[in-house]
Amino acid sequence: MQGLMMDMPLLISDLIRHADRHHGSAEIVSRTVEGGMHRYTYRQAHARARRLANALKRLGVAPPERVATLGWNGFRHFEIYYAVAGSGAVIHTINPRLFQEQIVYMANHAEDKAVFFDLTFAPLVEKIAPQLKSVRHFVAMTDRAHMPKERVPNLLCYEELLEAESDELDWPSFDERTAACLCYTSGTTGNPKGSLYSHRSTLLHAYGAALPDSFGLMARDVVLPVVPMFHVNAWGIPYSAALTGSKLVFPGPHLDGKSLYELFETEGVTMSAGVPTVWLGVLNYMRENKLRFSTLTRTLIGGSACPPAMIRTLQEDYGVEVRHGWGMTEMSPLGTVSRLKAKHKDLDKEAKYALQNKVGFPIFGVDTRIVNENGEELPRDGKAFGDLQVRGPWVIREYFKGEGGNPLKKDESGQGWFPTGDVVTIDPDGYVQITDRSKDVIKSGGEWISSIHLENIAIAHPGILEAAVIGVQHPKWDERPIVVAVKRPGHEVSKEELLKFYEGKIAKWWMPDDVVFVAELPHTATGKLSKLTLRQQLKDYRLKAER
Ligand code: ADP
């Protein structure tokens, strides 16, 4: 017997329709690329998204064609999100920080038919346009007065496109499993691979991400996603905010500490989200200028390990609750968020921090397990390390165009699990602790040493700004950890001092064998430490024992 409830597909256009109908006057505020602020409401955003959908139709962009963006977080990018997916086409958000060859590769691989770009990226578009074989239209996301001087073929002006259309449009209805958004992984090894989200997966993720133990979004929130809309859809915030009717604040290209701090204050931001490096900038600026937050109450930090020292500083010195989260492009991206449970109410402060430093328990929809190298499941005892596998309705089944074959691993019952490439422990309460990415794990004398754990200790030293721990060859132990660190400006710290700082905090055999100070550490296009590049930079480094 079937249930007798309405059978309505879960479609992205319903999010913006809902926000318009029930939160129509909630604001969307953007710092623009052209300069100055732009403000309007969900109602106006929806009207303009419908105009853009009509323009796409006129341009001949039809489902399931791909429309690419090279854009910052801003209102036009938000309209493109809804217009493209709402029409049944696929929005392909390109990370402009990637190498040019990778961008060209992705646009060709996705067979993008149109490219919408912010003015910042006009020089880039001019350079790559001749190589983008499938692109028929380039659209500058600006008005006539600001059109770029660069020579770009078939160049259109965003505002002119919209002016020429009416906002009359009924969003089409179709199968909720239809593709909606395409995001490529950064491809630290090999070519980037595409994760193709559906309307259904995007909506379920939007619900999951909005839950109280995730972003915890409410209609009275003011949300500023620092995480870019070209990095896994700003972790789904443009969808979750429409779902809950929260006011949105987009920072545009200005992601430095000063600009972000000012925007938090002037717009009354209550909730934010971003990678740890962004918060370094904000905290440094606030420290130097002795500033406080007046409205920000919480932030989700993830994408790479959030240093425990940062969690403590934000909470104790600035009154901002940190939600440490974990996820990946292949998971839309949210998987787990670290919040306390009722049973943890009376734990002492340090025990609470120990839980917060983990990446938390899964959001309903995501299931987790750990396996050893033979694919056998390991216990959830908080001690056994294993490869983390996940499954759920917003977890990838297969990469775009079947790249890399079937990525899933089957369990005994035949169900498929996606191997995340992370090495973790899971405790009996479901809390996941990331030890390493499997390719960063340090194997010493047959045992594993967690580079993340060692990095966190180094960063807790007042003289250290940033640190990476990598394994280097050792004649006896295979590999030993070394710390590569950047000193905090104005602070002196020696190798001996830093190593002393580790004493009593780790097992003796985890003690790094050396410290190398550098002026800066390499980062990936998503702002994470690039250990691959670092290992290349240090390829001539030898431990004393090896020399
Ligand atoms: P890429 O960096 O290749 O673009 P993703 O953005 O999808 O890929 O990154 C996903 C990976 O980032 C995870 O598999 C994990 O290794 C790492 N990661 C994400 N959040 C955290 C976290 N809170 N702590 C440690 N590692 C994290």
Side-chain angles (χ1 to χ4, degrees):
M1 184 163 63
Q2 293 239 309
L4 295 175
M5 309 310 277
M6 293 186 193
D7 196 6
M8 290 166 64
L10 300 171
L11 297 178
I12 288 174
S13 53
D14 282 324
L15 290 172
I16 191 74
R17 189 155 44 197
H18 167 84
D20 172 346
R21 250 172 114 78
H22 309 293
H23 305 282
S25 61
E27 276 188 303
I28 300 175
V29 182
S30 312
R31 191 168 255 161
T32 66
V33 179
E34 295 92 336
M37 302 295 292
H38 175 274
R39 343 178 58 93
Y40 69 169
T41 62
Y42 276 109
R43 183 154 303 135
Q44 288 166 301
H46 186 203
R48 283 172 48 96
R50 295 197 304 269
R51 279 174 185 260
L52 178 56
N54 282 329
L56 288 171
K57 221 185 277 175
R58 191 180 303 263
L59 291 177
V61 177
E65 289 180 335
R66 269 74 65 199
V67 173
T69 59
L70 282 161
W72 301 107
N73 293 6
F75 68 103
R76 294 193 184 101
H77 206 172
F78 181 83
E79 292 161 6
I80 301 167
Y81 262 47
Y82 282 99
V84 173
S87 310
V90 175
I91 170 163
H92 169 206
T93 49
I94 300 180
N95 182 343
R97 293 182 185 138
L98 290 172
F99 295 121
Q100 209 169 295
E101 304 80 70
Q102 284 180 316
I103 294 177
V104 170
Y105 170 86
M106 292 186 297
N108 285 331
H109 188 266
E111 300 169 68
D112 294 328
K113 292 296 182 290
V115 175
F116 285 71
F117 63 93
D118 264 330
L119 291 177
T120 322
F121 308 115
L124 169 71
V125 172
E126 180 181 35
K127 257 190 251 150
I128 63 176
Q131 301 169 63
L132 304 185
K133 303 189 194 92
S134 52
V135 176
R136 296 192 299 257
H137 311 283
F138 290 92
V139 184
M141 291 156 68
T142 190
D143 52 21
R144 180 46 57 190
H146 292 91
M147 283 297 278
K149 311 257 168 328
E150 280 77 7
R151 274 173 315 213
V152 176
N154 306 321
L155 181 62
L156 298 167
C157 165
Y158 187 93
E159 290 301 329
E160 281 183 355
L161 269 186
L162 262 61
E163 273 158 35
E165 301 296 333
S166 113
D167 58 17
E168 304 239 326
L169 171 97
D170 285 326
W171 293 112
S173 183
F174 40 78
D175 186 335
E176 63 183 19
R177 288 164 300 181
T178 304
C181 338
L182 179 61
C183 293
Y184 282 80
T185 58
S186 343
T188 30
T189 48
N191 276 327
K193 294 202 287 274
S195 298
L196 186 60
Y197 314 133
S198 66
H199 285 256
R200 174 186 156 81
S201 70
T202 305
L203 259 82
L204 292 175
H205 179 269
Y207 273 114
L211 283 172
D213 277 336
S214 314
F215 288 119
L217 288 185
M218 301 172 272
R220 63 167 181 269
D221 267 321
V222 180
V223 194
L224 187 155
V226 183
V227 50
M229 290 170 79
F230 55 72
H231 190 199
V232 223
N233 295 332
W235 300 347
I237 291 175
Y239 303 116
S240 290
L243 181 142
T244 52
S246 321
K247 168 176 166 180
L248 267 169
V249 182
F250 289 129
H254 306 286
L255 302 176
D256 59 288
K258 179 175 190 286
S259 307
L260 287 174
Y261 174 76
E262 285 170 2
L263 208 51
F264 284 137
E265 290 300 302
T266 52
E267 295 303 327
V269 172
T270 56
M271 162 79 200
S272 188
V275 294
T277 35
V278 163
W279 291 104
L280 271 183
V282 175
L283 288 174
N284 279 342
Y285 175 75
M286 290 180 70
R287 205 174 288 135
E288 279 161 21
N289 295 282
K290 302 200 171 39
L291 299 167
R292 321 283 314 158
F293 287 118
S294 37
T295 52
L296 189 70
T297 57
R298 60 202 198 284
T299 180
L300 195 127
I301 302 185
S304 57
C306 182
M310 181 179 281
I311 301 184
R312 218 176 262 263
T313 305
L314 272 163
Q315 297 195 158
E316 292 179 14
D317 301 347
Y318 294 98
V320 177
E321 183 206 333
V322 174
R323 301 180 175 199
H324 190 195
W326 167 86
M328 57 196 310
T329 306
E330 288 88 340
M331 300 176 66
S332 310
L334 281 191
T336 62
V337 184
S338 202
R339 297 212 75 214
L340 301 180
K341 302 187 179 188
K343 68 189 264 191
H344 300 133
K345 188 165 62 65
D346 298 325
L347 285 182
D348 66 33
K349 190 166 130 188
E350 294 310 312
K352 283 183 179 163
Y353 271 123
L355 282 171
Q356 262 198 305
N357 294 339
K358 298 187 174 194
V359 294
F361 50 85
I363 302 170
F364 171 75
V366 174
D367 196 7
T368 56
R369 67 172 202 154
I370 40 175
V371 298
N372 63 18
E373 57 269 27
N374 303 321
E376 291 151 354
E377 190 167 354
L378 295 169
R380 295 163 179 269
D381 56 7
K383 294 191 190 82
F385 298 55
D387 292 313
L388 176 62
Q389 300 187 341
V390 292
R391 61 194 315 271
W394 61 78
V395 175
I396 195 168
R397 180 178 75 217
E398 182 181 329
Y399 288 99
F400 185 45
K401 295 187 170 173
E403 210 94 329
N406 178 1
L408 303 191
K409 307 279 180 215
K410 286 212 169 125
D411 63 16
E412 308 74 51
S413 65
Q415 274 176 336
W417 291 79
F418 177 73
T420 62
D422 286 326
V423 177
V424 313
T425 63
I426 302 180
D427 77 10
D429 291 318
Y431 286 81
V432 173
Q433 174 139 36
I434 313 269
T435 306
D436 259 309
R437 269 198 150 170
S438 54
K439 47 185 185 291
D440 295 334
V441 145
I442 301 167
K443 270 215 165 139
S444 186
E447 298 284 347
W448 285 351
I449 296 177
S450 163
S451 66
I452 293 182
H453 191 82
L454 295 181
E455 283 157 11
N456 284 341
I457 295 175
I459 302 166
H461 189 286
I464 300 295
L465 184 67
E466 206 182 2
V469 171
I470 55 172
V472 292
Q473 271 187 11
H474 187 280
K476 179 163 175 204
W477 303 113
D478 258 357
E479 273 189 331
R480 290 295 303 158
I482 63 162
V483 188
V484 188
V486 181
K487 289 182 198 170
R488 191 178 287 284
H491 285 72
E492 234 348 283
V493 47
S494 66
K495 163 183 163 180
E496 290 71 28
E497 238 179 293
L498 186 59
L499 291 178
K500 189 127 191 57
F501 191 65
Y502 277 94
E503 280 175 18
K505 298 189 175 84
I506 45 168
K508 275 219 179 80
W509 63 276
W510 277 38
M511 185 59 83
D513 278 29
D514 198 5
V515 178
V516 178
F517 289 108
V518 292
E520 62 177 343
L521 285 167
H523 291 94
T524 68
T526 50
K528 304 181 193 196
L529 276 177
S530 175
K531 294 203 186 167
L532 190 78
T533 316
L534 185 61
R535 279 191 284 261
Q536 280 159 0
Q537 287 174 354
L538 292 177
K539 66 179 188 324
D540 295 328
Y541 172 92
R542 297 281 176 277
L543 280 174
K544 230 189 239 154
E546 183 84 358
R547 275 179 228 146

